[in-house]
Amino acid sequence: MALVPNERIDRIALGSCAHQDYSQPIWEAVSEAAPNLFLMIGDNVYADTTDFGEMQRAYEALGSVPGFAKLRSRVPVLATWDDHDYGANDAGAEFEAKQLAKRALVEFFGVPEDAPMRQRPGVYQSYVLGPPGQRVQILLLDGRWFRSALERDPSPYFRYRPRLDSEATMLGEAQWAWLEEQLQQPAEVRLIVSGIRVLSYASGFESWKNLPLEQERLFSLLRKTRAGGVILLSGDAHFSELSRGDGGLGYPLYELTSSSLNRANPRGAARPAPLAVFPPYGDHNFGWIELQWEGEPSITLSTRNEMGGTVFAQEIPLRKLQPPTEIID
């Protein structure tokens, strides 16, 4: 279903980590919630391969899931990727089949032929939806195509440790320049989508903490552009969590991690979570965002379970997501 740019957005659903070969009953609950938009935020299929035919077959399997097909016929779907739909676990710029992976993604999700994303490396995209005064900007980042190699941790307990050299990049210079330009576009709410977690306190597994200078560069860019209404959205973790951090913006920076649609990991949700607003949730889930435009505008960030029930929810007045008069960087 096609987007209608000037149509008001009230309800957004999102999710990550959907293995095409496993049962996916959660789509019925998503459809019943009646979102205006669904965001697929990574590991939308598991296609760890360099073979284009296998990539296509993974997407075809997702497309044949009745619940997903039903949702897609009714609701616009926007997507970015993480590692398993990119083509290899934890892969970055070095992955040799990324052009094929991009082709599989754009063909399955029907990215228009004239879309800027088709003409440049990577799959990052931006949309502004809704009328003036009620605009929602969707910024779909690509944390794979340009990402530098991670630094292995010699510990048997973790995969990675922070890489501290200034040459390491998460987004690449072209995407950073694009993001700065997009953050200066007018919008009341800005949803920044990253396949991996941004505010994560731990660097032992994939997160922006593995490249801490790039994490700080993101915060610095938000301060520089004085972007208001910023909410971070992420997947990958195989549990859901609402985090609240401090990026120095002059207002709290919330991140809703939504994972997994059908590959839950309750053990992952047992990790310590010092930034968590609520305890992490480890069963199958999808993210849910409600925008209240009448009266005092607000945004509610929540997680819903496989049956559509609310696990946790946090309402935030939009006036509390605005930078102060001055920010000293």
Side-chain angles (χ1 to χ4, degrees), residues 52 63 89 125-126 159 189 204 207 232 251 263 316 320 322:
F52 181 66
N89 186 51
Q125 307 162 69
S126 177
R159 292 180 189 168
V189 173
S207 76
L232 303 173
Y251 64 84
R263 293 200 70 196
I316 310 158
K320 293 189 176 182
Q322 302 303 315

Side-chain angles (χ1 to χ4, degrees), residues 14-235:
L14 61 142
S16 69
C17 306
H19 199 297
Q20 67 276 4
D21 295 332
Y22 299 168
S23 176
Q24 299 187 18
I26 199 167
W27 295 116
E28 289 302 322
V30 177
S31 288
E32 288 178 10
N36 306 127
L37 177 67
F38 190 86
L39 302 177
M40 301 200 76
I41 60 177
D43 293 340
N44 308 313
V45 295
Y46 281 69
D48 294 72
T49 180
T50 58
D51 183 270
F52 181 66
E54 290 298 319
M55 294 174 182
Q56 284 186 310
R57 280 188 282 276
Y59 280 112
E60 288 169 1
L62 172 63
S64 69
V65 175
F68 178 75
K70 175 182 175 182
L71 176 73
R72 196 179 183 192
S73 70
R74 299 178 176 182
V75 177
V77 176
L78 300 178
T80 188
W81 55 24
D82 196 34
D83 52 345
H84 295 290
D85 40 357
Y86 183 59
N89 186 51
D90 295 355
E94 77 289 346
F95 182 59
E96 65 270 27
K98 57 188 179 184
Q99 291 282 7
L100 297 177
K102 176 177 178 177
R103 179 182 163 194
L105 182 146
V106 299
E107 288 182 1
F108 179 76
F109 288 106
V111 177
E113 292 290 339
D114 60 350
M117 186 262 270
R118 281 187 178 260
Q119 311 308 318
R120 62 192 177 208
V123 300
Y124 56 94
Q125 307 162 69
S126 177
Y127 302 85
V128 177
L129 308 174
Q134 300 175 344
R135 292 162 296 195
V136 179
Q137 184 180 45
I138 312 289
L139 291 160
L140 298 160
L141 302 184
D142 182 342
R144 295 291 162 188
W145 192 281
F146 307 95
R147 199 215 67 207
S148 300
L150 302 180
E151 189 168 308
R152 285 285 177 178
D153 194 317
S155 163
Y157 305 106
F158 300 109
R159 292 180 189 168
Y160 308 110
R161 62 185 178 186
R163 181 174 170 180
L164 301 175
D165 61 287
S166 60
E167 295 184 2
T169 186
M170 179 70 75
L171 302 183
E173 289 305 314
Q175 188 175 181
W176 276 117
W178 165 87
L179 181 58
E180 180 171 356
E181 178 183 336
Q182 296 304 314
L183 287 170
Q184 297 175 73
Q185 303 302 312
E188 283 62 55
V189 173
R190 302 178 195 274
L191 304 178
I192 300 180
V193 180
S194 167
I196 60 173
R197 304 177 77 204
V198 180
L199 295 181
S200 175
Y201 49 90
S203 60
F205 299 92
E206 277 208 296
S207 76
W208 281 63
K209 273 290 188 183
N210 292 318
L211 300 175
L213 299 182
E214 289 289 89
Q215 183 192 51
E216 177 51 38
R217 184 174 181 176
L218 176 61
F219 299 155
S220 179
L221 182 58
L222 295 174
R223 295 193 296 268
K224 175 184 177 182
T225 57
R226 297 184 53 75
V230 172
I231 299 290
L232 303 173
L233 304 176
S234 61

